[in-house]
Amino acid sequence: MNSDTLMNTAQTLVAGDKGILAMDESNSTCNRRFAAWGIPQTEERRRAYRELLVSTPGLDQSISGAILYDETIRQQLKDGTPFAQALTKAGIIPGIKVDTGAKNMAGFPGEKITEGLDGLRERLAEYVQMGARFAKWRGVIVIGDGIPSRSAIQANAHALARYAALCQEAGLVPIVEPEVLMDGEHTMQRCGEVTEEVLRTVFHQLYVQRMMLEGMLLKPNMVLPGLACPQQDTVDEVCEATIQCFRRAVPAAIGGITFLSGGQPAELASARLNAMNVRLASQTPWPLAFSFARAIQQPALEIWSGQDANGSAAQKALLHRAHCNRMARRGEYNAQMESVEVS
Ligand code: 5MM
């Protein structure tokens, strides 16, 4: 493992106010999103959609890295260029999601454990050969009646840390993603308590597994009220609760924080990221960046709707969301920007 290379990659992924495009939906997730817009759920349509994303001109102005999925990293542009190579050529670092999904946790009804450690060393070596320079693994924590259990938090934290150690051994920067889901009626305060416990447990496990913190990124949820909670807190309240939680639980040494969007409306995700950067970035030791999937892609997917003729309009929409989030990193995003076209 070359520590300098890992640190450089981690720093480059959060440099220049840019962020990461998560386009690592597994086939089942991608098909579900396609189905909602009547798009055929075929390998070719998934390839065509991912080609649209990676070949968006100017995407590198706002996007530093893109997370691919196993099927996607093996696919090519129509001209035969592998996606990972096309991204590198465009100045975007290719990454790869390496977990094999969150499965029901035996003995813990309603809770999930992420799988994918078996054979991971060999898979990572193959992804490095294909051009990947960073990786991602997502642990899923559910809030509900009597959950999350300590056991689910510990099992997911342990898996995240073992994955991260294998990545650094392979020369890949691990993105560690412990996601506390928004589903449910819980309050923002409850989300904050759970997120803090999860982060403390994850960082303890990362310490136990000898992680070089400077060579990793954290991809967390924001601290939010549950989607069905009657009290929906303001942008400023979310921003304060999130930063307070992270200041308590996240070591200063990590390369950066790259938030997931988790199903928030795209504009709200940008507004919340912006508020954190305007109001509290000076009080945090890490860059506050983004690694959004839906909050960058959703408008583009809807415009494309499976029709190649809509490609350039969809690319414009993608570029626009990427640009808005870059502005949010700078603390310069505002709602008026939503009606301005990016050229
Ligand atoms: C939480 O999901 C991650 C970020 O996406 P959002 O910004 O939309 O929340 C994302 O990288 C996620 O891990 C994949 O899109 C979904 O992967 P699976 O394995 O669930 O298909």
Side-chain angles (χ1 to χ4, degrees):
M1 181 216 335
N2 181 333
S3 306
D4 287 346
T5 309
L6 291 172
M7 279 193 274
N8 284 341
T9 305
Q11 282 163 14
T12 307
L13 285 167
V14 291
D17 300 316
K18 297 184 193 180
I20 296 169
L21 168 63
M23 46 177 288
D24 62 319
E25 299 85 359
S26 55
N27 288 349
S28 56
T29 303
C30 186
N31 287 345
R32 209 171 50 243
R33 295 195 182 145
F34 277 16
W37 293 91
I39 304 167
Q41 294 138 60
T42 62
E43 180 176 353
E44 170 45 29
R45 281 298 82 187
R46 291 193 296 273
R47 191 209 64 77
Y49 176 59
R50 268 59 179 264
E51 171 158 0
L52 180 157
L53 300 180
V54 307
S55 59
T56 296
L59 193 62
D60 63 305
Q61 296 301 306
S62 307
I63 297 296
S64 56
I67 314 173
L68 306 174
Y69 171 61
D70 183 75
E71 176 182 88
T72 323
I73 201 169
R74 299 175 194 282
Q75 290 174 325
Q76 296 102 26
L77 303 179
K78 270 203 257 25
D79 71 6
T81 312
F83 285 158
Q85 209 174 301
L87 285 165
T88 306
K89 205 163 151 208
I92 296 173
I93 303 176
I96 178 77
K97 183 247 290 296
V98 301
D99 66 70
T100 55
K103 309 284 162 55
N104 292 336
M105 183 159 151
F108 292 85
E111 299 200 88
K112 301 279 180 194
I113 177 68
T114 300
E115 296 186 351
L117 287 171
D118 287 349
L120 182 56
R121 176 177 275 131
E122 292 71 27
R123 287 197 290 127
L124 295 180
E126 188 189 8
Y127 291 138
V128 169
Q129 288 304 314
M130 291 173 167
R133 288 175 53 201
F134 70 99
K136 197 210 80 169
W137 176 293
R138 172 173 170 251
V140 175
I141 302 294
V142 184
I143 299 182
D145 255 2
I147 59 173
S149 64
R150 190 75 201 125
S151 307
I153 293 175
Q154 275 174 338
N156 277 289
H158 184 256
L160 275 164
R162 287 205 47 215
Y163 136 82
L166 282 161
C167 283
Q168 288 197 336
E169 177 191 84
L172 292 166
V173 167
I175 297 189
V176 172
E177 181 182 10
E179 179 181 11
V180 178
L181 294 182
M182 282 166 73
D183 303 333
E185 294 175 2
H186 55 270
T187 61
M188 181 176 74
Q189 190 196 353
R190 174 91 179 112
C191 176
E193 288 161 3
V194 171
T195 303
E196 184 175 339
E197 182 182 354
V198 168
L199 292 174
R200 285 182 187 279
T201 310
V202 166
F203 280 101
H204 175 69
Q205 280 298 323
L206 289 167
Y207 169 68
V208 170
Q209 304 289 333
R210 302 186 173 169
M211 180 62 21
M212 200 259 289
L213 294 178
E214 293 80 357
M216 65 157 275
L217 298 171
L218 178 71
K219 175 164 171 168
N221 52 285
M222 297 180 192
V223 173
L224 300 170
L227 283 171
C229 177
Q231 187 186 329
Q232 291 296 315
D233 305 83
T234 64
V235 168
D236 283 349
E237 286 164 344
V238 163
C239 143
E240 276 157 26
T242 303
I243 297 301
Q244 182 189 61
C245 173
F246 289 7
R247 277 168 50 91
R248 289 176 174 172
V250 179
I254 64 162
I257 289 184
T258 59
F259 286 104
L260 60 88
S261 59
Q264 302 174 61
E267 297 178 13
L268 192 52
S270 302
R272 287 167 169 163
L273 180 65
N274 185 70
M276 284 187 245
N277 277 297
V278 169
R279 302 187 52 226
L280 295 169
S282 61
Q283 297 175 31
T284 67
W286 349 262
L288 299 170
F290 58 91
S291 173
F292 295 160
R294 285 162 287 184
I296 296 182
Q297 288 185 45
Q298 195 59 32
L301 176 66
E302 293 173 17
I303 292 169
W304 178 62
S305 279
Q307 306 298 321
D308 293 338
N310 301 334
S312 65
Q315 287 181 329
K316 264 195 172 171
L318 183 81
L319 212 52
H320 174 67
R321 284 258 57 80
H323 175 74
C324 286
N325 287 307
R326 178 162 183 242
M327 290 299 109
R329 274 210 61 187
R330 297 159 72 112
E332 292 172 12
Y333 169 81
N334 57 57
Q336 288 75 43
M337 216 167 267
E338 295 296 349
S339 47
V340 177
E341 272 200 11
V342 188
S343 56

